[in-house]
Amino acid sequence: MAELSNALKQKLEHLFGMSTGYVLDFSNASFSDFIQTSIGLDPYSKFSGSKAVVLRQLWHDLDTPSFRRLTLEMLDRWQTNKAVHAETVTAAEQKLFDETVAAVQAIGGSAPQAAELAFLEKDFGELDLSQVNISLSLRDIIEQRLEEIERCMKAEAPLAVVFLCGSTLEGLLTELALKNLEAYNLCKAAPKSGGTARHLSEWTLENLIVTSRELNLIGEDVVKHAHAVKDFRNYIHPRQQLKENFKPRMFTAEMARHVLHAAINDFSTVRATSV
């Protein structure tokens, strides 16, 4: 759960106009779609009530990276709405906005948590891709990537490690989803449009992770620590990396590698050809 102070909550509620139960200019449908696009979660699958009530519940429920990403995107929407409607931003509003963005970006910058350190201590043994239900050609590519990840770790290139781990995990989960498409589409956590699961090409890594967990194809460790890899696509773009104040460290790289190893270990255990 993200650590929010009462002062930050008050600033967010004021900027988002939440006192009446609304949030910015969102309808229920656009609110749900915005959050699903941002963090891969349908808020109404977990919570009920007005948009403001649901958002407050999300603040208490989301992990820090998801909270930070969603909130920064909502703050960006506030700023965009002002520009689109040619509304003057007062000096007081600008000051409040800047303070709020800085406060949100600062969340999660503390030292590693005990749970993260305990996760890194887990030994998944030697990875055996022969036990994972993928084609031989794809297995060769995954093995090459695993070797490259180790080279990047030795070279202390954390951003490269995050990119490689995130894209490799996304590729493996996509392959698993393609082999079990009907089961994935029927998941409660599957991203939907008009009540129907979206095409797999529109799913985010977060979508693939939560649906795979729902089907018990990956363990809780992968879901709990997925923040180390799930936003890898965003950080390809320097402006987005700047916006989210993402500063990769070797600890981040270690977490990303361990998440990938945990997932591969889960795939080897399941060895599922169908769900």
Side-chain angles (χ1 to χ4, degrees):
M1 183 181 77
E3 297 291 334
L4 279 76
S5 67
N6 285 323
L8 178 54
K9 288 180 184 178
Q10 183 179 12
K11 290 175 180 178
L12 290 171
E13 293 215 8
H14 178 77
L15 286 170
F16 296 162
M18 295 168 61
S19 62
T20 59
Y22 291 92
V23 175
L24 293 171
D25 61 332
F26 289 116
S27 65
N28 287 351
S30 63
F31 181 65
S32 175
D33 182 72
F34 186 93
I35 293 174
Q36 287 192 67
T37 301
S38 176
I39 59 174
L41 171 69
D42 177 5
Y44 295 113
S45 68
K46 298 189 68 174
F47 306 113
S48 60
S50 69
K51 290 181 285 293
V53 167
V54 170
L55 184 57
R56 291 186 191 104
Q57 291 172 314
L58 277 172
W59 287 346
H60 286 284
D61 189 68
L62 292 176
D63 59 34
T64 296
S66 296
F67 165 80
R68 187 169 54 232
R69 178 177 178 181
L70 174 62
T71 305
L72 288 173
E73 289 188 5
M74 285 190 167
L75 287 166
D76 185 63
R77 188 182 180 100
W78 177 89
Q79 192 174 49
T80 299
N81 285 348
K82 289 286 187 180
V84 167
H85 298 296
E87 296 179 7
T88 300
V89 178
T90 67
E93 285 179 323
Q94 188 63 55
K95 182 175 182 294
L96 177 62
F97 176 81
D98 292 341
E99 289 177 352
T100 305
V101 169
V104 172
Q105 289 177 333
I107 291 176
S110 57
Q113 300 297 307
E116 293 177 321
L117 295 175
F119 173 60
L120 286 178
E121 290 178 359
K122 290 190 175 182
D123 183 5
F124 299 110
E126 186 175 349
L127 299 180
D128 186 0
L129 286 171
S130 68
Q131 298 301 309
V132 181
N133 185 31
I134 54 176
S135 65
L136 288 175
S137 56
L138 182 58
R139 186 186 304 167
D140 288 341
I141 292 175
I142 301 302
E143 287 177 345
Q144 292 169 18
R145 283 174 169 244
L146 290 174
E147 292 172 0
E148 187 165 342
I149 287 168
E150 294 309 311
R151 290 197 295 272
C152 289
M153 289 291 296
K154 291 178 181 178
E156 296 190 3
L159 190 58
V161 172
V162 171
F163 289 161
L164 281 165
C165 290
S167 60
T168 302
L169 179 58
E170 185 177 76
L172 285 168
L173 288 173
T174 299
E175 185 73 7
L176 190 60
L178 285 169
K179 291 178 179 294
N180 303 279
L181 191 55
E182 183 177 0
Y184 271 79
N185 284 339
L186 291 175
C187 284
K188 292 181 180 179
K192 296 180 175 62
S193 178
T196 304
R198 294 179 180 178
H199 191 276
L200 192 61
S201 62
E202 300 178 40
W203 290 33
T204 64
L205 177 53
E206 169 76 3
N207 296 147
L208 291 165
I209 288 171
V210 295
T211 48
S212 297
R213 177 56 185 154
E214 185 176 329
L215 294 169
N216 291 317
L217 297 176
I218 56 175
E220 187 61 31
D221 273 341
V222 176
V223 180
K224 186 175 181 180
H225 301 288
H227 56 80
V229 294
K230 68 182 181 182
D231 291 333
F232 79 95
R233 285 186 179 277
N234 284 346
Y235 307 139
I236 291 173
H237 307 287
R239 182 174 291 276
Q240 188 68 20
Q241 182 181 345
L242 175 64
K243 178 181 174 182
E244 298 192 24
N245 195 36
F246 178 66
K247 299 175 181 177
R249 302 170 294 157
M250 286 309 297
F251 178 79
T252 309
E254 290 171 6
M255 287 293 294
R257 178 179 62 174
H258 224 56
V259 166
L260 176 60
H261 286 190
I264 291 174
N265 183 69
D266 291 336
F267 299 151
S268 302
T269 302
V270 173
R271 197 187 171 100
T273 55
S274 61
V275 177

